[in-house]
Amino acid sequence: MIDRHPWLDALAHVVLIVGVLIVAFPVYVAVIASTHGPNDFMSGLIPLLPGHEMVANYRSMLTDGLSSSGAPPLGGMLWNSLVMALSIAFGKIAISILSAYAIVYFRFPFRAVAFWMIFVTLMLPVEVRIVPTFKVVADLGLLDSYAGLTIPLIASATATFLFRQFFLTVPDELMEAARIDGAGPLKFFRDILLPLSRTNIAALFVILFIYGWNQYLWPLMVTTTSQHYTIVMGIKRMSDVADALPQWNVVMTTAVLAMLPPVIVVVAMQRLFVKGLIETEK
Amino acid sequence: MQTKRTVFGNRLLPYALLLPQLAVTVVFFLWPAAQAVLQSFQREDAFGLSTTWVGLTNYADLLSDPTYLNSLKVTAIFAPAVTLLSVGLGLIFAASLDRLARGSRVYAALLVWPYAVAPAIGGIMWWFLFNPTIGLLPYLLAMVGYRWDHALQPTDAMILVVIAASWKQVSYNFLFFMAGLQAIPKSMIEAAAIDGAGPVKRFFTIVFPLLSPTTFFLAVINLVYAMFDTFPVIHATTGGNPAQSTNILVYKVFVDGFIGLNLGSSAAQSVVLMAIVVALTVIQFKWVERKVTY
């Protein structure tokens, strides 16, 4: 603090408190709505204080789902989301750490070509090439499977760049010493480089878990039966019904369950999350 | 391109290491993108039995299609509005936090977590708050005499999707501005204070100019976010309506390709979008190269 301005400090507190309230308000309302029965949404105003139906709502959604809209139990959807998020996070980390290793620690023909092929994937978000990508996945027979949900999303230029940047900062002497001691490339990778990359891997994992969990358009397209629905896309099926019948309590129960796991990950691993976020964008 | 001063001598190993990434890239990125470019020059008959080469017709049709021009206009309002709102709020929160010696960690923790919420879920929650019959915000607006109805009023629908799409981005921008503010040397601020500049003057003449690389970077990132990653917000709330008033470009690609099954037009739209992403990425990397250092 350089100079004292009590009124400015007070203003800063006010701005931040208002900010926190605005940011948290929709979630508060969603949590409150998930504790009410269906009749509280028929008319008047959305409830702003907790109701008594919380246990009933969560229990029935987790085990029975919403039969009127053909929505399966949320337990299964949460499981699918978890499988998808973990596969994408581990898959991306695995293939990009290997390719970054090849690009930094070897010299071979077409190295630059490989680097640029990975680079252009930055420019091709799934939304803009959605129809042909869907066709490729359909032709490969991957519709409605975990493989179809995850593999098309695991190529990642940003993760490769992050590992490349990190490998370039690892002192050359480490590799030279390892070679003198007789370590081959795989042993060097496993015993030296991988342990050194631990923090980066963890930070990247947090970001990629959120990325995988929050996928919407892709699971919406490649799942044709409810068996592989993920929870983030499943909410759309319930809200479509909500316009006809006011089932807001059910929709908001689903919303709360869908956002809980990634929010817990961010809150519990905040330091890694901030590191991962800032470094993957550089 | 950089490598190590000594490298491993293996001939085949590097290709084996690259194989998984390149295989996924070719099969799911480059091949579909090439298909999109190819399809954009073709037209299928109504039964999908034959395709004919039509040159630039699909592109020419886009430019004379009023719904596409409308979608361009909608995106030109939506993307800058989301960017302005989320970057602006992120900066205000970060600058406020920077003043405080105590309690800043608590505020930071409370402002950061919405980044983890999926855009679709954020969209649904704001949609609920703005529900015309039972929502809280229409109820408050009715008190000041405004009848909110995003199912009928294009302006209301646009405001709804802009707020819903900006909500989680505020956390992201806030984090980057925090990092940017921490990188500004305290000695500069102190020097200005000794010269008699008050906190407001210091912010506008020193802090904000020094943050300009961060601001520019965030402007590009948020434009990309608003143009491409907000599909779930639109899909889960307004569905591009009423009267196409929230039908942004990336949503239209999906609707025309998947629901309308107009593959040629959808592919041409994809190619236009790819061109926009390439342009934005190039701008961003140009900036990274001549990054300002203090």
Side-chain angles (χ1 to χ4, degrees), chain B residues 214-229:
Chain B
T214 310
T215 313
F216 180 69
F217 163 81
L218 288 176
V220 176
I221 290 282
N222 282 276
L223 277 177
V224 172
Y225 162 82
M227 291 187 70
F228 303 103
D229 298 339

Side-chain angles (χ1 to χ4, degrees), chain B residues 255-267:
Chain B
V255 171
D256 290 357
F258 259 90
I259 298 165
L261 291 177
N262 189 348
L263 294 185
S265 171
S266 174

Side-chain angles (χ1 to χ4, degrees), chain B residues 13-192:
Chain B
L13 186 62
Y15 295 105
L17 293 171
L18 276 168
L19 185 68
Q21 171 118 35
L22 289 184
V24 175
T25 304
V26 170
V27 175
F28 297 109
F29 283 74
L30 302 180
W31 173 253
Q35 289 287 307
V37 173
L38 196 67
Q39 275 177 5
S40 73
F41 297 113
Q42 296 175 335
R43 183 160 289 175
E44 276 191 357
D45 67 22
F47 304 103
L49 295 174
S50 67
T51 48
T52 42
W53 191 260
V54 294
L56 290 171
T57 315
N58 287 324
Y59 293 95
D61 286 356
L62 281 186
L63 289 179
S64 57
D65 177 2
T67 60
Y68 188 74
L69 295 177
N70 171 64
S71 183
L72 269 178
K73 201 181 79 190
V74 167
T75 313
I77 297 168
F78 175 75
V82 169
T83 304
L84 214 62
L85 184 62
S86 60
V87 174
L89 285 177
L91 177 60
I92 290 172
F93 294 156
S96 303
L97 195 85
D98 200 45
R99 270 210 69 78
L100 301 177
R102 266 181 302 172
S104 60
R105 291 180 64 94
V106 179
Y107 284 124
L110 289 172
L111 283 170
V112 157
W113 59 268
Y115 181 76
V117 178
I121 306 291
I124 293 271
M125 290 191 296
W126 284 101
W127 192 48
F128 179 49
L129 269 180
F130 275 109
N131 180 294
T133 37
I134 59 167
L136 179 69
L137 297 174
Y139 176 81
L140 296 178
L141 287 171
M143 286 190 200
V144 295
Y146 187 82
R147 233 188 128 267
W148 175 274
D149 192 350
H150 57 247
L152 295 173
Q153 293 297 327
T155 316
D156 292 357
M158 178 58 92
I159 293 171
L160 168 67
V161 290
V162 166
I163 292 176
S166 304
W167 176 64
K168 71 166 255 177
Q169 262 330 76
V170 173
S171 310
Y172 181 90
N173 297 331
F174 164 75
L175 269 176
F176 274 84
F177 277 126
M178 284 242 297
L181 285 167
Q182 278 161 12
I184 294 176
K186 284 277 165 284
S187 55
M188 285 201 191
I189 314 284
E190 282 160 13

Side-chain angles (χ1 to χ4, degrees), chain A residues 258-273:
Chain A
M259 70 181 131
L260 208 54
V263 168
I264 289 174
V265 167
V266 165
V267 172
M269 298 184 232
Q270 188 154 7
R271 214 171 45 80
L272 284 173
F273 164 70

Side-chain angles (χ1 to χ4, degrees), chain A residues 214-280:
Chain A
N214 288 348
Q215 284 301 313
Y216 180 80
L217 175 58
W218 189 245
L220 197 68
M221 292 181 34
V222 297
T223 57
T224 47
T225 63
S226 60
Q227 197 193 342
H228 287 99
Y229 283 177
T230 65
I231 188 155
V232 172
M233 60 147 290
I235 197 168
K236 169 71 178 164
R237 312 220 164 244
M238 303 186 187
S239 64
D240 273 348
V241 181
D243 257 358
L245 299 158
Q247 302 239 30
W248 285 109
N249 56 331
V250 166
V251 175
M252 289 302 144
T253 304
T254 312
V256 172
L257 286 171
M259 70 181 131
L260 208 54
V263 168
I264 289 174
V265 167
V266 165
V267 172
M269 298 184 232
Q270 188 154 7
R271 214 171 45 80
L272 284 173
F273 164 70
V274 173
K275 178 180 161 64
L277 196 66
I278 289 181
E279 286 187 0
T280 47

Side-chain angles (χ1 to χ4, degrees), chain A:
Chain A
M1 194 57 54
I2 294 155
D3 43 6
R4 290 184 167 279
H5 289 279
W7 57 270
L8 254 187
D9 288 355
L11 180 69
H13 277 290
V14 169
V15 167
L16 287 166
I17 289 168
V18 170
V20 168
L21 289 179
I22 291 174
V23 157
F25 189 63
V27 176
Y28 171 79
V29 171
V31 172
I32 293 298
S34 74
T35 65
H36 283 265
N39 296 335
D40 295 343
F41 301 92
M42 291 298 189
S43 59
L45 187 62
I46 52 176
L48 293 173
L49 293 171
H52 305 291
E53 301 291 324
M54 181 169 164
V55 178
N57 282 341
Y58 283 88
R59 186 189 289 144
S60 77
M61 285 312 287
L62 279 171
T63 55
D64 302 334
L66 190 62
S67 49
S68 62
S69 65
L74 295 188
M77 291 200 203
L78 283 167
W79 172 251
N80 290 338
S81 287
L82 185 70
V83 171
M84 185 176 178
L86 290 178
S87 312
I88 288 178
F90 283 120
K92 272 192 189 237
I93 289 171
I95 68 169
S96 51
I97 199 168
L98 290 178
S99 57
Y101 182 52
I103 283 173
V104 174
Y105 280 93
F106 295 86
R107 237 175 255 142
F108 53 92
F110 305 114
R111 198 168 65 97
V113 176
F115 182 78
W116 283 102
M117 275 172 72
I118 296 169
F119 180 79
V120 291
T121 58
L122 260 189
M123 304 180 186
L124 300 171
V126 69
E127 284 80 6
V128 309
R129 56 189 166 81
I130 194 78
V131 179
T133 311
F134 175 79
K135 194 163 177 310
V136 168
V137 172
D139 290 345
L140 291 173
L142 293 177
L143 290 185
D144 232 355
S145 69
Y146 287 128
L149 274 176
T150 53
I151 295 172
L153 298 178
I154 66 172
S156 162
T158 44
T160 310
F161 288 163
L162 176 72
F163 285 123
R164 175 177 171 265
Q165 292 308 111
F166 173 67
F167 290 164
L168 288 173
T169 65
V170 173
D172 289 14
E173 286 78 6
L174 278 180
M175 188 255 204
E176 288 159 8
R179 283 189 73 174
I180 290 168
D181 289 347
L186 291 177
K187 188 168 176 57
F188 170 71
F189 178 72
R190 196 182 56 224
D191 291 345
I192 297 175
L193 215 48
L194 215 49
L196 284 176
S197 314
R198 240 178 0 215
T199 329
N200 283 297
I201 291 175
L204 204 52
F205 179 83
V206 174
I207 301 298
L208 295 177
F209 179 86
I210 297 167
Y211 167 85
W213 184 278
N214 288 348
Q215 284 301 313
Y216 180 80
L217 175 58
W218 189 245
L220 197 68
M221 292 181 34
V222 297
T223 57
T224 47
T225 63
S226 60
Q227 197 193 342
H228 287 99
Y229 283 177
T230 65
I231 188 155
V232 172
M233 60 147 290
I235 197 168
K236 169 71 178 164
R237 312 220 164 244
M238 303 186 187
S239 64
D240 273 348
V241 181
D243 257 358
L245 299 158
Q247 302 239 30
W248 285 109
N249 56 331
V250 166
V251 175
M252 289 302 144
T253 304
T254 312
V256 172
L257 286 171
M259 70 181 131
L260 208 54
V263 168
I264 289 174
V265 167
V266 165
V267 172
M269 298 184 232
Q270 188 154 7
R271 214 171 45 80
L272 284 173
F273 164 70
V274 173
K275 178 180 161 64
L277 196 66
I278 289 181
E279 286 187 0
T280 47
E281 289 295 357
K282 287 257 162 91

